Every structure is written in C-alpha cells, then in structure tokens.
Amino acid sequence: MEENYVGRERNITLIMDFYELTMSYNYFKLGKQDEIVYFDMFYRKNPDQGGFVIFAGLQQLIEAIENMHFSDGDIEYLRSLNVFDEDFFAYLKDFHFTGTIYSVKEGTPVFPYEPLITVKAKLIEAQLIETFLLVTINHQSLIATKARRIVQEAKGRPVMEFGARRAQGYDGAHYGARAAYIGGVVGSATVSAGKDFHMPVLGTMAHSFVQSFDSEYEAFKAYALTYPDNCVLLVDTYDTLKSGVPHAIRVAEEVLAPMGKRLKGIRLDSGDIAYLTKKARMMLDVAGLHDCQITVSNSLDEYLIRSVLEQGAQIDSFGVGENMIVSKSSPVFGGVYKLAAIEKDGQIIPKIKISENTEKITNPGFKKVYRLIEKETQKAIADIIAFHDEVLDENQDLTIYHQLDSWKHKTLYAGTYEIHPLQTLVFDEGKNVYPHYSLDEIRIYSQQQKQLLWDEIFRLEYPHMYYVDLTKRLLDYKLKMLAKGKKGH
Amino acid sequence: MEENYVGRERNITLIMDFYELTMSYNYFKLGKQDEIVYFDMFYRKNPDQGGFVIFAGLQQLIEAIENMHFSDGDIEYLRSLNVFDEDFFAYLKDFHFTGTIYSVKEGTPVFPYEPLITVKAKLIEAQLIETFLLVTINHQSLIATKARRIVQEAKGRPVMEFGARRAQGYDGAHYGARAAYIGGVVGSATVSAGKDFHMPVLGTMAHSFVQSFDSEYEAFKAYALTYPDNCVLLVDTYDTLKSGVPHAIRVAEEVLAPMGKRLKGIRLDSGDIAYLTKKARMMLDVAGLHDCQITVSNSLDEYLIRSVLEQGAQIDSFGVGENMIVSKSSPVFGGVYKLAAIEKDGQIIPKIKISENTEKITNPGFKKVYRLIEKETQKAIADIIAFHDEVLDENQDLTIYHQLDSWKHKTLYAGTYEIHPLQTLVFDEGKNVYPHYSLDEIRIYSQQQKQLLWDEIFRLEYPHMYYVDLTKRLLDYKLKMLAKGKKGH
C-alpha cells in the first residue's frame, strides 16, 4: 500500500494520556471493563469569542478508531514500565473498538455545551479513545473555525493557507490545511495536504528565488519563461515600488507580451499593505495591466484584512500564514470528554460532574441534540438537548429551557418549526457506518449549513449568542442531581 | 521494523510549501540546480518577549533529512498537477540530500538574529528542505522555550506536561512532550512520547474514574487497592474540601494504613488553588499525612504558578496542559530561512534581503557564530557573528558591533574572554555526522548551557537583552550592500 502521511496505516493509539491506562487497568482488575458507559464530547467556549465553531476532524477520528491497536512494540514498552500485568497485556493485544458512536457531521456549525460526539461503549474502550478523539477534533475544529473567520472578512476574495512553516508540527501543517479548506480557504501551500486530501495546492516563489539571480529582473524573466500562463511575481525583495513593480511591468511587456501572455499577478509580503497596493494598482493600470491581480501575505488575520479593505487597499486575494495555521489569537479549542451515564442491570444511570465553576457542570444522561429551524425563515432558532428517548414532535408546542436557570425558557409553537437531529450514527457496535465524504463535499456542506444561521452570529465581535437549551425533563433531572450532589457523595 | 509514531520510516518530504517545487523546477529548467548556496535559519523575536529560546528539534530534523525522498506515489501526485515535466520527476525520483549543515546543538539557549542552522547545499536541495526544517525547529523550540519558563516559576517543584488533548495534532502532542522535557518538565502524560523518546510518563485518574463508581470513596478505595505504592487521588469531582479530601484521608486510614502504605498524593483540577491547597494541606496534616503531596493542574502557566506560590499556596508539583503544549500566550516561533550567499566560480557571493522594516534585513554571507564567555565569571557576554573565514583570537582585543549601528560597539580585552563556536557540523556532504544524544543528555546539556547566562536574562518580563553582535568586517560589508541595494536592482 502506498505510504501516506498519516492515514490508515499510521498507528496513533499511544497518542494517549497515561491515566487512560492506569484507570483501564484498574477497571480491568475489578472486572468492570465490560460495563457500558456513555461519554459526551463537547466544548464550553468559542475560540476568539466568536459565535460558533466549525466541527472538523471526524474523518481522521474514524480512521484512528478503525486502526486502533496495540502493537507488540507498544505492549513491550508498557511492560517495561512495571505497572501492569500480563493479563492486561493479553487484553490490550486483542483490543479493538466495539462501541457505538454518534457524531455531528463534519463541517457543521456547532455551539457550546451541546454533545458533538456521544460514545456508547465498554468502559475501557470509551476511556482509551479519549485522548486522540480530543486532539483530533480539537485541532481541526480550531483551524476550520479560524479559517472561516478569516475567509469571511476577505468578503469573497480568495484566501490561501500558507502557514506550514509556523505550524505546531507536521500534523499541524497537514491536517491544519485540511481544516482550513473546510473553513473556506481556496487552497493551501502544503503539498502533502494536496496529495492526501485532494485539495488545491498553490504557490509561486520566495525571496530566495529572486535573490538567487544576479538581478530581480532576471529572476522575474526566468520565472515568466517557465510559467508564462501562471506568472505571479513576488515584488518586495528589494523595494516594492521602485524595483519590484517596475520590473514586473517590464517582464509583462518584454517577456510575456511577445508570447501573447499576460502577467497574472504580483505578490507583496511586507510593508504598508494599504499604501503599497494602491500605488501598485495605479502603476499596473497605467501600464495597461488591469487584469494583473494583487496578492498580499504579510501576517494577516481577520482583523487586519477587514482593516486594510476598509482603507481601500487594492487586493484581489490573500495568503494567510501563522495567524490561521495555529489560530494565533486563540490557539486552543477546549473540547472535553465527560462521562454522562453508566448502564447498570440494563438501566441507564445518568452521571454528572459538579463544580463550583458553574460552567464546568455537565449535562447528565444519554442525550440527543436537535437543531430547531423556523419554518418561515428557514433559519435556526436554537439547538435543544434531550434525553435519548424523549420524543419531540413538531406538531406540538415545545418549551426549551436554559441549561441551569429554569425561569429562562421560550416556547415554540406547533407547526412553526422543524426538528433536525444534529448527530448521526458513525460507528455501530464497532463498525464504521459513516460514508466517506470528499473534502469538497464537506466544505460545501459546511457552507450550506452556515446559511441556516442568522447574520448576527457571524459578527467578529459580540456575536449573537445562539441558544443551546434543554428539554424540561432533562433540566429537571439535572437540577435534582445537582441538589443531591451538593449533599455529598 | 517496529512501527513508530513518526521516526525514521515516516516520509514527511511533502510537508513542503508548493513554491519550493515551482522554484526548484525553474532552477532545474535553467540548469541552476547544482549551484551551491548558503541559507541561514534564524529568528527575530523571543516568544513571550522572553530573554532567549531553547533550540530544539534537531534530532527530528536530522531524521527527516536522512529519510527525505519522493515516493512513487508522491511523484504520481505531482504529475497529476500538470505543472512539471518528466525530466524533473526523474530528478526527484533520485533526489536525496547531499549538502552540508551546521547547527547549534539541541538544547542550547539561543538569541534573535544569529544563524542557528546554516545549510550549504545545491540550490534545489537547500530549497526543498526549507519547510520541514522550519516546522520542525519552530515547533519544538517554541515548546521547549515555554516549558523552560513554566518550570522556572515552579522554583524547583516538579512540573509535568499534561497537554496532549489540547495539542495541535498528534505531532503537537508527541514532539511537544519531547520538547517540554528538554525545557525541563519531569515527564509527560503522553504515552507515545514515553515510548519513542524514553522519557518518563505520568498519570493517575480522571474525573470519569471517580464518577464510574457508586461513590467517591469506593473509587478511591479501588484505586488504592490497585496502586497502593503510588496512590494519587483526584479530589475535586464533587466538592474538594467537603468530599474529596475527607475521602482521601479515609482511604489513607482505612485502606492504605492497614497495608502499611502511605497516601502518596492528592490532585486538584479546579477551584481557587491558593485557598483550596492551604485548606487541604491543613486537613492532611491534622490527619498525620504530612508526606501526602499536593498536585494542581488547572489551566496553569508561568504567571499563574508565580502568583499562587506568592500567595502561599501549598503545592508540591504542577501538571500543565494547554498553556504549555501550544504555548498559548505566544503560539508562534517565527524562525525563518534566508538565502545568505551563492557560490560563483568558486567565490562565495554574499546576498542580502533588504526591507523597509529594518528588523527584516538579513546578515549577508557564509557566517559563523560564537559565544563569548567572560573568563572571570564564566558567564556569556555576547554572541558574535563573523564571516566563516574570519579568525577570532582570544589573545587579541575584540570589538563587537551592533547589527546595524556602527557607533554601537564594545571592546573585549585580550585574555579576559573565551570564544566558543556555537554551531557544529551535522551533515557533511549528505552524511549525518552528528552523534545521537539521548533526550536526557540533551536536557542536561540545556541545563548546563543555561548556567552560562546572567540571571537578568531569565526574567519573565523585561529581561536583559543579550547582545548578538557582528564583527567589523561583517558589519562594514553589510552596510555597503545596504547602500548599494537602495540604489536598486
């Protein structure tokens, strides 16, 4: 099989916190390993104080779970730690995931506190997938979300992902490019991502190319001769307006024009973007190069892009590096994975995590989450979390409740709204039943799903806070558990 | 061969910006591919406005370069882009790195603008390694540097790396753990890092463990029975002081004491750390558990650790997650890779990148960098960058110059200082000649090298800015090139 950069053959099983193993060994010694439990993966805060998150990384999570196994070398290593016994190693040697997983579809806009992934599995299995589940989803959702913000502010102008060199490791570059594409960039500079994910790769030249010739003009000329149909010249190696742009124009006239070709574009990577692009545009236009596009790529993010466009900068496309590939202004997506219920004698017993920080209190039970769409506008009104066996009926009035305060509620009237389940079955007792979507399909799906959201949710600052509410039954149960929990365990 | 998580068998060649290929193809078509060039890898700003950086990632860079090749699948993919020709693919198919590389040793404290890595290679070879060279060094140096700051503020208390789930991808967790260990943590929760890098792995239990039992006491008891010699209990699942600590004490008395064992520790993961640890310490001491250690792990970084210790928090060790593994407060290390010289007819022709931002101007030429140590104190005075063929003599006075301003200079007197080359040969015409150091050796080396620095460089805020200066000959040459460059190319 052809090697790839991550994919199915790479064993990432040991991207695992050690406590998953110490806990699992304990369960194993107590004979608890086959107890059925329910875990929810959710998050509490939108990065950059934004209005929502783009859920991403599901495909890689599926591959990781399908490929999950402990190799002989893994077990040999664990044996060397002198913490576990041979019975446990025999168990690990045969380990594979046999549980059931529900997940939000990749590309879906999601909100704090709703279960994005729900795992129903044997206790040890549910525990051992925790770390790589979180790192996979946390990373890609973070970058997809950041890319979405940046692309939004470019207002229709193409945005390219150029960040590999500043990524946090190879996977940061590789999967980051994938996530950015889901978030809306038109392509990436990272070749491995182009290869593995069938997404566009882009790139022209660095300053070193220009420097490696005796003069800037010679460098531009050489490039134009090799790529006459796709000639984009980097104009800021020496002096953008005095040297770079005039040389680019000269190449357009002396090299490309005689071949019947046009200069496709110039790129600026430093300096005052607003001023330089306006001047460059004028110079290009005076030379009759109206169709020559201007790309900029200097430490851009959503705020700077908004600002330079407001200033009238003459920009046709953007290349964005470090601010996107590590989500620099908000580099952590804090997805968590919390126990929600345990089966005992065929009964599902809800579990709760109590905390003095109210935002750390969990929603108990095996739950389902739905998106409520207003029929008249076809816009999302709220998401609602319910126990898995609650029947919601569009033909009934539905009252939805704040996650903690029972006096905060809202009633939707029968016939005015639709109920759409947000999660779908991904693993059915260990078997992957989720279709393999192409990256383009995921990207388009994400665009479509965003159209269900009100504009106010897209604001960079102080976005409208979308409701994620509970059913009455779930809220009542939760409040009862909280009251009981305060009395001690 | 046993699979591993990254190592020698993983082909990361295509973690490459596409422009490396478009430029290389151009060089190839022009017959420039065998021109010898010199590139410097350096950086401009310390993360977190700190005083220095810990250089890390060299071992992985060496492995990546040794393993660099274009597989059949890689070439098939590149062919599908319809940009390059078959001659170029034949060249890529046989490609391997044949150049010479000098590098600072892994673990060395380094400073802005000095060449950390210098590559002398054929033009295409030097270009094609750029992206993965940068991502490797940028990522690990960032995390090692952040870990160093956090460990420093713990003032001798052990710090553990717990961040995998919030890392930016699997490599972020895996190599991030390695880098954190170089930076001074005592171990990591990430099992893969323990396996591949022979570093300590650590971990006990999560809240889900406690929740999975009918009561907190039963969970603690089960854990104590399985790990009587290493029993650390997580006490904040329900209520730290009313439930968690009392249950831990009860387990110490009722379960461990009869076995002749002691409760090793408790861990707090939420709440007001200063208050809770003081109260917990009192409760433990009253129960005679003076030797029971307190670990905390709640969104810590160097500033919070400093603050809670100043407040008298009773903490024996720290677990640090997201703030370390992504260097949250400063998540980008901006290492760059710039052309410094080209050989023409056996002559080395220095090259410069000029910019209106003076901090983006490069130092031209094939250079070497030295650390100057004051004999009397055995402390580093400054680093100095010289042309490769300049002879510096400790028995002569040495005047060192600011990188741009010739009126800023300082003279060291003969016999008062030592000159230590900072770089060492790593690849000699394609052959790796650098010893394989164990991670512990690198970590110890880093500790030793830090002892050469004055205390003032370690300040979190407004550290002393260490001098990285030039020789007179290098400064003069640079100023001459700048003057000439302004006249245009």
Side-chain angles (χ1 to χ4, degrees), chain A residues 43-116:
Chain A
Y43 73 100
R44 301 185 182 111
K45 274 187 199 160
N46 293 317
D48 281 310
Q49 307 187 315
F52 62 98
V53 152
I54 299 293
F55 178 76
L58 182 58
Q59 190 59 48
Q60 280 64 48
L61 174 62
I62 290 170
E63 291 170 12
I65 290 175
E66 284 194 299
N67 189 41
M68 188 178 185
H69 66 281
F70 293 87
S71 71
D72 292 344
D74 293 344
I75 287 173
E76 197 180 306
Y77 167 66
L78 294 176
R79 184 178 286 120
S80 75
L81 300 176
N82 294 316
V83 177
F84 313 117
D85 69 13
E86 289 302 320
D87 289 347
F88 187 57
F89 297 137
Y91 171 86
L92 292 183
K93 194 153 175 47
D94 287 338
F95 181 92
H96 60 280
F97 184 78
T98 64
T100 294
I101 297 183
Y102 305 87
S103 174
V104 166
K105 287 178 75 171
E106 201 163 3
T108 307
V110 293
F111 301 93
Y113 293 102
E114 59 194 11
L116 306 180

Side-chain angles (χ1 to χ4, degrees), chain A residues 5 11 22 136 189 204 247 489, chain B residues 5 11 18 22 170 189 204 247 489:
Chain A
Y5 289 85
N11 179 9
T22 49
T136 305
T204 54
H247 285 148
H489 280 250
Chain B
Y5 289 85
N11 179 10
F18 189 61
T22 50
Y170 314 122
T204 54
H247 284 147
H489 279 253

Side-chain angles (χ1 to χ4, degrees), chain B residues 122-300:
Chain B
K122 295 178 181 173
L123 183 49
I124 293 185
E125 292 180 21
Q127 201 72 68
L128 289 183
I129 67 172
E130 175 178 16
T131 309
F132 71 66
L133 180 150
L134 287 173
V135 65
T136 306
I137 302 298
N138 283 346
H139 171 229
Q140 288 199 46
S141 298
L142 176 72
I143 307 306
T145 300
K146 187 63 169 181
R148 205 278 308 159
R149 290 168 63 84
I150 292 173
V151 168
Q152 169 180 308
E153 293 308 314
K155 301 201 185 305
R157 295 167 186 82
V159 176
M160 297 165 278
E161 188 282 298
F162 278 178
R165 62 193 54 201
R166 304 286 167 83
Q168 295 195 354
Y170 314 122
D171 291 329
H174 185 71
Y175 295 118
R178 178 185 189 272
Y181 192 63
I182 293 174
V185 302
V186 298
S188 165
T190 303
V191 183
S192 63
K195 182 189 174 201
D196 280 7
F197 306 128
H198 312 291
M199 54 185 277
V201 292
L202 307 154
T204 54
M205 68 173 71
H207 296 116
S208 61
F209 181 83
V210 178
Q211 291 174 281
S212 80
F213 288 80
D214 287 337
S215 76
E216 190 177 50
Y217 176 73
E218 280 176 62
F220 286 1
K221 181 177 170 182
Y223 199 85
L225 289 171
T226 307
Y227 303 107
D229 292 313
N230 194 19
C231 186
V232 179
L233 301 170
L234 178 62
V235 294
D236 73 331
T237 303
Y238 302 111
D239 187 311
T240 300
L241 299 179
K242 287 190 190 148
S243 172
V245 177
H247 284 147
I249 291 171
R250 209 179 128 200
V251 163
E253 292 170 348
E254 297 179 6
V255 181
L256 291 167
M259 301 165 75
K261 304 292 184 183
R262 304 286 296 173
L263 178 63
K264 186 165 174 196
I266 60 171
R267 179 163 75 94
L268 280 76
D269 190 43
S270 61
D272 188 300
I273 291 170
Y275 172 73
L276 290 174
T277 59
K278 286 181 202 172
K279 292 287 279 188
R281 182 75 269 158
M282 287 168 64
M283 292 164 76
L284 293 168
D285 287 350
V286 166
L289 300 171
H290 303 279
D291 53 337
C292 174
Q293 301 217 314
I294 299 176
T295 297
V296 299
S297 57
N298 181 24
S299 299
L300 300 168

